[in-house]
Amino acid sequence: MKFILCIVFIALFPFACVAEDNKGNGDNVVLHADDMQNDDINNIILAKGDVTVSNGTQILEADEVIYNKTLKVFKATGNVRVFDIDGNKIFAKYAEVTDKFEFGFLQNGRITTSDKEFIAATKARREKDSVYYTNGVYSPCLVCQECENYDPLWQLKAERIHHDQENQEIVYRNVSMEIKGVPVFYTPYFKHPDPTIKRQSGLLAPSFGNSTKLGAFASLPVYLALNDHSDMTLTPYYFSKQNPVLSGEYRHRFRKASLDLGGSITRIKPVTGAPGQEELHPGQYHGHYYGDFNWNINDNWRLKTFYIRATNPTYLRRYNYVGGDKYIHKNVLTSTVNTEYFNKSNYMAFKGYHFQNLRADIDNRTVPDVLPVTEFSFEKNTDFYGSYFLLDANTMSIKRNQGAQVNRVTGDFSAITPYTNDLGMNFEGLVNLRSDLYDINKYTPAGQNKPIKQVRGRVIPGTMLTWRWPFYSMLSSSKVILEPIISGILQPTKSGSSNIPNEDSQDFELDTQSLFKLNRFNGYDLLDSGQRVNYGLNLKFSTINSVNTHIFFGQSYSFSKTTDFPEDTGIREKGSDYIGKIRIVPESYFYLDWSVRLDRNSGSIKRSIVKLNAGPAIFNIDIDHFYLDHSFLSGQFGAREQVSARANSKFTDRWSGYVKGIRQVKPVTQRLEESVGVVYTDECFKLSLEGAQKHYKDRDIKPEKTIMLTFGFKNLGEFSTGRLSGSPSTGLSNN
């Protein structure tokens, strides 16, 4: 533990020579005292009254100091105090130290380290590579130095402590933890590596708790340091309602690469799912496994691969202890391979994707493998008014057991010329040529009954001219920038997308990011078409007290009669829906970010995303609201609306609390999650109590109530009861 190294300091005063008088006979030690005597008979130097010994980095103060020239030992008595340049302080009744550091002794001493830790011992002595402590006490809590019989919030007491510096380990005998002077934990023997050891094999902190789904549980991780470059953690989990689970992780670090392998396995007991849905079959083995490899080949090339697989769609949600909370809300597990090349002007990548579907309403036969995917990007600057060229190329191959199989090659060339005139008007001209070649198989277009096999190509030219004219002014004490923006776009009326499978352009939103793009669709499969003009107004102002506000409002107007956009996207007719954005970022106490789309006819809200934070620390609220009147271009999902709110309060310097709720409003009104918590934090201890209720349902995953009580001890780690399911049973775990 950290404090052991600090205790060693009590026995080591690095004097390089022996003091003979008030100046000493060496260059590194200075001795001051009110009275100093040189006893040649006993071969000692006796110093009394405000004695100070200094070597430049440490200072020893005492009522009396005796230096034995024969034994080469300093003996300090009465109000012994030692200070060093790092802020460590030592107080004792008696101390001894040699000028060769081979032996040290301290009696009735206490130490306050530079990071406010407290150490005390009745005796401490050093012998070669070992330090022994008798009746040692350690606490990182602030201690009242002038108070008698003062107990810190918590402390460790040990009858004997042995710091074996040669083997780099610390051994305790009869050690107990006390909270406000009351013993709460005891063990006769305890050993761990000292702070100089970064990694050593051994047992890690166990965990205990209770869960509605799994019952009472316990785990005991085992850490194995295999060598300087690799290690492993094996963790068996024991459950009262299920068979044990064995989880493991292997890690290896190379000079320019890293490899992580892991997984878990269990033999399942009967678990019943929702009627008509998949169940976990009893007697079968279930688990998951993953591999993560990253290699920085050189300054220009790197390779990244990640593969993950679970034997059951709900396994990682049921056993979230082995998979972590990051998989609880996952609808798909994505495995990837990615090789990248990049320099100042070029980028090239070779990628592949494999998906494991975790949703109940998706046919696994329709889930694709996307391999290979290649990307190339090239940028070239010219001397003509700052013009530059962009060339992007992409290929993709999609294979699946049921549904369309597609091979695609795409090329996209753009020439861009920016220009600013003397009036401050900014112009940017863009000329674009987009070409695609598709090899399509087993695809059934809308309105047809039979799948087709065909090779299709398209070439779409396009031009765009964007004009901006920012106006700057001072209004009272505020800086104001008003900027109108207009862009005109010319493209063919038809894009040729109607007979091409839409694989990567499913999601679309008309917002401030897509309004001024040449192609407003995401992905490559759908292309924007026709002639249109986009216009908007930017308003930015900031005050002297750092309140920054950004407001944007805009619209798009199409001159074309046909479009590939469905009606509910807001751009089917000539005039699109209105889009706006408001962002207010004051210096403190308030933050608002609101993106909105308004119906072009009625003015009703069609899309709204709100993020709000308001209030001081004594009472602060966070609100996130999301509303969308459609989901995806295919119309697979209808309107979606969800709101989450959290109220936080730091009602004292050490106590805080919160209340949080998540609710779905559309398509069905229902509660998703509620939680409440209270937290106590000081310089050495943290306590948090959280209660939560989750209403999610998915096959064998059912609603759950949990309670989490967590204790955190500075320098010892966090210990918690784990998850409790509406019962008073408790346990102890390490987080």
Side-chain angles (χ1 to χ4, degrees), residues 691-707:
Q693 183 173 5
K694 298 180 180 180
H695 305 274
Y696 306 105
K697 297 179 182 179
D698 183 12
R699 288 157 284 189
D700 57 295
I701 303 298
K702 300 177 181 179
E704 183 182 19
K705 295 180 180 180
T706 63
I707 296 177

Side-chain angles (χ1 to χ4, degrees), residues 34 74 97 104 116-117 156 186 213 215 415 501 559 626 639 668 706:
D34 294 340
F74 288 94
V97 64
K116 309 303 181 183
E117 296 178 353
L156 294 177
Y186 168 83
K213 296 177 293 187
F559 299 96
F626 173 84
V668 179
T706 63

Side-chain angles (χ1 to χ4, degrees), residues 260-277:
D260 293 348
L261 302 174
S264 63
I265 188 171
T266 184
R267 188 177 178 88
I268 205 77
K269 287 183 179 180
V271 177
T272 303
Q277 292 188 334

Side-chain angles (χ1 to χ4, degrees), residues 563-695:
T563 177
D564 292 322
F565 291 95
E567 173 65 25
D568 52 12
T569 59
I571 53 177
R572 184 70 177 179
E573 297 180 1
K574 291 186 176 182
S576 72
D577 287 346
Y578 300 102
I579 60 173
K581 186 178 183 66
I582 299 176
R583 176 174 292 175
I584 303 175
V585 186
E587 188 174 6
S588 59
Y589 300 154
F590 189 84
Y591 171 83
L592 173 65
D593 193 336
W594 182 26
S595 298
V596 64
R597 176 164 64 89
L598 304 176
D599 185 87
R600 57 186 168 271
N601 297 318
S602 65
S604 61
I605 294 178
K606 309 293 287 185
R607 173 184 178 270
S608 175
I609 300 176
V610 179
K611 294 182 179 295
L612 172 67
N613 179 277
I618 187 64
F619 184 77
N620 176 271
I621 60 171
D622 273 302
I623 297 177
D624 290 331
H625 177 267
F626 173 84
Y627 171 75
L628 185 63
D629 68 339
H630 77 284
S631 298
F632 299 107
L633 293 173
S634 62
Q636 182 178 2
F637 302 108
R640 287 285 188 269
E641 184 175 5
Q642 180 175 301
V643 60
S644 66
R646 174 170 173 146
N648 310 280
S649 177
K650 186 174 178 60
F651 36 87
T652 71
D653 290 339
R654 297 183 175 181
W655 285 95
S656 62
Y658 71 91
V659 178
K660 179 182 178 181
I662 304 176
R663 188 179 185 87
Q664 178 180 282
V665 182
K666 290 183 179 181
V668 179
T669 300
Q670 61 177 341
R671 295 181 299 168
L672 299 180
E673 183 178 339
E674 300 94 25
S675 60
V676 59
V678 62
V679 180
Y680 171 86
T681 305
D682 62 23
E683 77 282 351
C684 66
F685 179 71
K686 178 180 180 179
L687 179 146
S688 66
L689 176 64
E690 180 189 61
Q693 183 173 5
K694 298 180 180 180
H695 305 274

